[in-house]
Amino acid sequence: MSDQPYQGGPYEGHDPYQQHPEQQQQPAPQAWPGHEQYGRQAGYDPQSTQQWQGQTWETQTHAPVQAAETAYLPPLQEQQQPYQQPQHAQPYAEPYAHSHGPQAQQQHYTPAAPTAPRPAPAPEAAAPEPSEVSGPAYGPATLGGNARITDAQRARLEGRSPIIDPGMQPAALTALLGLLLAVAAPVGSWALLVPLVLLQAVTAAGWFRLNGMWPARQGIALAFAGGLAADAAVLVAGREHAPAAILGPLGVWVLLSLVMQLRSHASPDERMYGLMATVASAALAILATGYLGADPDAVSVGAAAVAVAVLARALPLPTPASVVVALLAAAGAGIAVGGMTGLGAKGAVLGAAAGVCALIGHRVAAYDYPSRFVHFTAGVALPLSAAAPVVWILGRTLG
């Protein structure tokens, strides 16, 4: 076969496979097997096409390929149809065999065969049923994201009880604070003011945390300020005017709580939650001032009954038995302290009533999966704060 380029046809005068001067000195390799079959193939079969791998074509030592040289390649949009061999491909078989062998395949440019048509994507598998999924189920993706699930919500989904009692340590702190109130009441109003202020501060902070609102510095400060205002009013007006001195600040602080929430930039739901929490916290802190306005003997009996009832309630007993033991212990403490103060047997009634209020406050502090912080704030203060109105009312009635 001659090395002269092919004469005639649309490529007359131009040999796309012309060798460079530095390549003409090399011996012509033998034809690589299967080239005649490729040149004479009537149709293109993607699965039978041979794939060659070798070194890449160095563009720095070869002339760039013109568009006319790749005119035999089929258009991309016709890849789905069988490849038809051009009529002028047959005469190129022998020159191509002389100039392109197995060794030259690694040094020269190889016309790229059209890629096989991409298979159609498989239909998406059906999503498994919730019962088939072993892992945790997740909600759909959202632009804003999903809020983090709280410990209370997780426990509720797991079916656990929402009641978690504070335990013995908070009960011991409650008993200590109750004993301080019982001992300071006979001394005087100013001595009673110290443990009372501590009780009001813990009540304001614990109630907000019990409602899941933290930090809520403005609400806590407002509720605590309400308690201080009620204390100051009782000290100025005296115990005989204690009802007016307590109810007056209570109404004013409800109005202040409403104004504070109206000035908030939170959503309407959050403002409503904040309003209810602030009003309840301020009411509890202000009503705790009842210890300051009640008879000192009644304060001693009531505070001692609360301390004993909470300690009995924290004992490792079944709930019904624990409640009965706590009430009996409160009544017994009322009788004992009432005999020392002058109330006598009437102290049993006051002690039992204070014990009931203490158990209610203890139960509230244990509701809705409270945290350790709630146990050491609301769990300590709510039994005493809830018993303050009863001590004030029964103290005036029985005395």
Side-chain angles (χ1 to χ4, degrees):
M1 176 61 67
S2 175
D3 293 335
Q4 296 297 328
Y6 172 75
Q7 302 294 333
Y11 294 90
E12 181 177 0
H14 177 71
D15 186 5
Y17 306 104
Q18 183 178 0
Q19 299 182 357
H20 294 275
E22 62 272 11
Q23 299 175 355
Q24 295 178 358
Q25 298 178 3
Q26 301 178 0
Q30 298 182 0
W32 52 277
H35 74 280
E36 296 182 356
Q37 181 180 358
Y38 172 80
R40 298 173 182 176
Q41 187 177 4
Y44 172 70
D45 188 1
Q47 298 182 355
S48 62
T49 302
Q50 298 182 2
Q51 302 293 335
W52 295 89
Q53 296 182 357
Q55 299 180 356
T56 57
W57 176 45
E58 296 291 341
T59 58
Q60 297 180 357
T61 59
H62 293 75
V65 180
Q66 303 296 331
E69 301 181 32
T70 58
Y72 63 92
L73 295 177
L76 295 178
Q77 61 270 18
E78 299 179 2
Q79 292 181 5
Q80 302 294 339
Q81 300 178 1
Y83 177 75
Q84 301 295 335
Q85 182 71 21
Q87 297 179 2
H88 60 270
Q90 179 67 23
Y92 279 92
E94 294 181 0
Y96 185 84
H98 286 283
S99 59
H100 294 75
Q103 299 178 356
Q105 176 65 21
Q106 301 179 358
Q107 300 178 359
H108 298 278
Y109 168 73
T110 302
T115 58
R118 183 175 299 177
E124 185 176 0
E129 297 295 333
S131 58
E132 300 177 0
V133 180
S134 59
Y138 297 93
T142 58
L143 295 178
N146 294 328
R148 184 186 69 86
I149 185 172
T150 61
D151 295 338
Q153 292 173 341
R154 181 181 295 106
R156 188 179 292 108
L157 292 176
E158 294 176 356
R160 289 184 285 162
S161 173
I163 304 299
I164 302 177
D165 294 329
M168 183 57 70
Q169 292 180 353
L173 294 177
T174 303
L176 177 60
L177 189 56
L179 292 178
L180 290 176
L181 291 172
V183 172
V187 176
S189 299
W190 293 101
L192 181 61
L193 187 62
V194 176
L196 179 60
V197 170
L198 180 60
L199 173 63
Q200 291 170 332
V202 178
T203 300
W207 184 261
F208 271 90
R209 190 63 186 94
L210 180 62
N211 285 269
M213 302 182 64
W214 188 265
R217 299 181 182 90
Q218 294 181 355
I220 294 173
L222 184 63
F224 180 57
L228 295 180
D231 296 342
V234 172
L235 290 175
V236 172
R239 283 194 174 96
E240 60 276 7
H241 301 289
I246 293 176
L247 295 178
L250 180 60
V252 173
W253 252 253
V254 170
L255 180 60
L256 291 178
S257 301
L258 181 60
V259 172
M260 185 186 72
Q261 294 302 324
L262 289 177
R263 293 175 58 87
S264 176
H265 298 285
S267 62
D269 292 339
E270 292 180 356
R271 282 187 290 179
M272 180 59 67
Y273 297 151
L275 175 62
M276 300 306 297
T278 305
V279 170
S281 180
L284 289 172
I286 292 174
L287 291 178
T289 311
Y291 286 114
L292 193 60
D295 185 74
D297 295 340
V299 173
S300 297
V301 172
V306 170
V308 175
V310 173
L311 286 175
R313 181 65 177 84
L315 295 176
L317 298 174
T319 301
S322 177
V323 171
V324 173
V325 171
L327 293 178
L328 293 177
I335 295 175
V337 178
M340 293 186 296
T341 57
L343 286 178
K346 298 178 182 179
V349 179
L350 179 58
V356 171
C357 295
L359 293 181
I360 293 175
H362 183 271
R363 183 73 170 184
V364 171
Y367 184 71
D368 201 13
Y369 312 97
S371 63
R372 184 176 180 86
F373 184 87
V374 173
H375 285 166
F376 281 91
T377 52
V380 172
L382 285 184
L384 289 168
S385 299
V390 173
V391 171
W392 172 42
I393 295 174
L394 291 181
R396 295 175 62 91
T397 303
L398 299 175

